Amino acid sequence: MNAKTKARIKRVLNILWHIPPCSDIYMFHHVTLHPEVECSSCKLDTEDFVHFLDKPRDYVSLDALTEDKNYGRHAAITFDDGLEDTFTIAYPILRQRRIPFTVFVLSRMVGKPGYLTAEQLRKLAKDPLVTIGVHGSMHRILTECTPEQQAEEIFRSKQELEAMLGKKCDLFAYSHGQYNLDILQLTAFAGYRKAFAVAGRPYCERFDKGPYAIPRESVEEDTKIMFGL
């Protein structure tokens, strides 16, 4: 059973058990059910995305939330993979509402069909509402990579994005949410300040895995009932 199948089963079980969200960091991928190029199976209808944002939450940047001693009072929005509809659909909606958000980008996918172009990425990076983080280079599962592949996903991807944007990118999101102790240590050694995993059992305490395994909740068609959508 591969990691994607395991993750989907976990999400379905969470719904069946009516487990409430245990993180105030929310993760999105496609925010349309009909992207021009489908790059992820994780999709949410645009109308549901708007309904989610309009629920009463105090949205802050990812840094502000993770540094807040009164955790639970705020919420943060993140996007994985650097998909094109993050720019064409989500960005105008979030900008209108002045909601800060973070985009975790795959460095080697920039400019590929369905992904952000370099121009779109640079425009996002210049907006004070937006933080650009690293999601690796090619979306490989880190726990299944060779040491050389891990170095490319964790180290080289950071260098590539920083060179492209001319600014520091020091937040990391594990591809498919998969990591182990060695990968956690590599992430710290690479110079990232914080790294983000996927929430769910047993991640029900505030950042119980420390600054390099901060949990997030995936908001998509398979989980939207958990968020009242």
Side-chain angles (χ1 to χ4, degrees), residues 27-61:
M27 170 178 61
F28 298 87
H29 291 77
H30 285 299
V31 288
T32 172
L33 297 183
H34 306 287
E36 290 190 17
V37 180
E38 185 174 312
C39 301
S40 172
S41 62
C42 301
K43 297 181 289 185
L44 185 70
D45 183 71
T46 305
E47 186 174 336
D48 285 330
F49 177 64
V50 172
H51 287 164
F52 180 92
L53 295 177
D54 287 343
K55 288 182 178 291
R57 298 183 183 92
D58 183 11
Y59 291 107
V60 296
S61 70

Side-chain angles (χ1 to χ4, degrees), residues 67-74 206:
E67 293 170 4
D68 183 6
K69 294 180 180 179
N70 295 310
Y71 179 73
R73 189 175 61 184
H74 303 302
R206 179 180 185 265

Side-chain angles (χ1 to χ4, degrees), residues 135-224:
H135 196 34
S137 60
M138 298 170 61
H139 213 261
R140 289 176 287 206
I141 299 174
L142 291 170
T143 53
E144 299 177 3
C145 286
T146 65
E148 292 77 13
Q149 291 170 335
Q150 289 177 349
E152 183 177 342
E153 294 289 330
I154 297 171
F155 291 82
R156 192 174 302 169
S157 57
K158 184 177 190 293
Q159 295 168 353
E160 290 171 342
L161 285 175
E162 289 179 340
M164 187 183 303
L165 300 177
K167 64 190 304 182
K168 185 177 290 187
C169 299
D170 56 6
L171 300 179
F172 188 80
Y174 300 108
S175 177
H176 303 279
Q178 302 296 306
Y179 67 95
N180 55 31
L181 180 59
D182 289 339
I183 291 166
L184 187 151
Q185 291 173 339
L186 282 174
T187 305
F189 185 71
Y192 295 101
R193 292 183 297 113
K194 300 167 188 173
F196 299 82
V198 176
R201 293 182 174 183
Y203 307 117
C204 291
E205 297 293 332
R206 179 180 185 265
F207 308 161
D208 62 349
K209 297 293 183 179
Y212 291 96
I214 299 172
R216 297 181 293 160
E217 295 282 354
S218 180
V219 186
E220 56 187 277
E221 285 298 300
D222 288 345
T223 65
K224 68 179 187 179

